[in-house]
């Protein structure tokens, strides 16, 4: 890992990266896991970063995918309605203010309704460019979302830095050819290019040539 990166555009995951939604995720997925006879603690190690149907496919590999999609719709509705305990990751409000005028996009496994609910609950502005679940055919760890985000911003993948917290997300960003700022404890195990415990530990500087310098403080 390094202590500094330079980019021209930033691609931001949501849950665990700028929004702390762990309380809701644990409530909803623990209940689902128990209902399906799974070890809830083990199941929770798999849920972060993926779309719900993709998580279910990992946990119940022999189950028909249409059943996973049906369950996913139910869980999405539950998660969208439940914002109790949803808060910004430490430093996220200042970070989002700092990137407001810079090329950036949200790339999340949440659908637009869930992303909107959680960003609002956390008091964070929704980026103008966003790639949510509706706009990809494959969930992280597939790189599609990050590649679409870079294309929407008009930058090559190698000019982008992705912010992620999960194994699935970091794997997706790397597959897209991007460097990664890992945020929080889950990210550390994946040895991202730069790691911070939260966004209070990140310094962002812009230069006249349009480059963005990111440094672990």
């Amino acid at each position: 890992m390094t202590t500094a990166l330079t980019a021209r555009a930033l691609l931001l995951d949501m849950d665990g990266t700028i929004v702390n939604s762990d309380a809701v995720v644990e409530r909803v997925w623990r209940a689902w896991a128990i209902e399906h006879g799974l070890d809830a603690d083990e199941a929770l190690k798999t849920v972060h970063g993926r779309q719900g149907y993709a998580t279910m496919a990992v946990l119940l590999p022999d189950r028909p995918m249409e059943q996973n999609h049906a369950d996913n719709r139910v869980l999405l509705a539950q998660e969208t309605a439940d914002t109790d305990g949803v808060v910004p990751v430490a430093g996220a409000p200042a970070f989002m203010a700092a990137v407001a005028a810079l090329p950036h996009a949200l790339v999340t496994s949440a659908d637009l309704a869930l992303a909107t609910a959680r960003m609002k609950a956390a008091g964070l502005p929704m980026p103008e460019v966003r790639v949510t679940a509706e706009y990809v055919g494959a969930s992280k760890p597939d790189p599609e979302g990050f590649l679409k985000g870079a294309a929407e911003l008009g930058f090559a993948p190698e000019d982008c830095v992705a912010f992620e917290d999960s194994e699935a997300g970091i794997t997706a960003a790397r597959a897209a050819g991007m460097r990664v700022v890992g945020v929080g404890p889950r990210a550390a195990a994946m040895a991202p290019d730069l790691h911070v415990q939260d966004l209070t530990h990140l310094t962002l500087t812009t230069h006249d040539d349009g480059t963005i310098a990111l440094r672990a403080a």
Side-chain angles (χ1 to χ4, degrees):
M1 281 188 291
T2 183
T3 57
L5 293 174
T6 302
R8 291 191 173 276
L10 308 178
L11 300 178
L12 315 177
D13 173 54
M14 183 180 70
D15 293 304
T17 301
I18 56 175
V19 172
N20 182 346
S21 57
D22 283 359
V24 180
V25 172
E26 179 159 337
R27 279 195 298 273
V28 171
W29 279 95
R30 184 174 292 278
W32 182 89
I34 291 170
E35 179 184 346
H36 290 83
L38 300 172
D39 182 314
D41 290 332
E42 287 300 312
L44 285 169
K45 295 177 183 178
T46 305
V47 303
H48 298 287
R50 293 179 174 86
Q51 291 188 43
Y53 74 85
T55 295
M56 294 169 192
V58 172
L59 295 173
L60 297 173
D62 297 327
R63 196 166 80 144
M65 188 58 77
E66 58 265 27
Q67 195 170 347
N68 295 335
H69 281 286
D71 272 15
N72 186 43
R73 288 190 289 272
V74 174
L75 264 61
L76 275 173
Q78 292 174 356
E79 290 186 274
T80 302
D82 184 357
T83 56
D84 187 25
V86 175
V87 295
V89 166
F95 173 77
M96 294 302 288
V99 305
L102 302 177
H104 71 287
L106 190 73
V107 181
T108 176
S109 293
D111 66 7
L112 182 58
L114 179 57
T116 301
R118 286 187 174 165
M119 292 291 281
K120 181 179 179 180
L124 298 176
M126 176 66 82
E128 182 178 338
V129 178
R130 50 203 178 243
V131 180
T132 54
E134 299 95 329
Y135 301 107
V136 296
S139 170
K140 299 173 185 177
D142 190 280
E144 181 184 359
F146 282 116
L147 292 171
K148 283 193 170 182
E152 284 288 323
L153 292 173
F155 289 91
E158 59 267 26
D159 289 329
C160 300
V161 165
F163 282 67
E164 268 287 358
D165 73 301
S166 69
E167 178 179 355
I170 291 172
T171 300
R174 284 177 170 158
M178 299 175 184
R179 291 153 297 144
V180 181
V181 174
V183 180
R186 285 190 293 268
M190 293 296 292
D193 298 284
L194 187 154
H195 180 258
V196 292
Q197 285 300 319
D198 59 48
L199 294 170
T200 66
H201 295 281
L202 185 78
T203 300
L204 185 153
T205 307
T206 57
H207 298 294
D208 291 341
D209 65 357
T211 57
I212 306 163
L214 305 163
R215 182 175 296 276

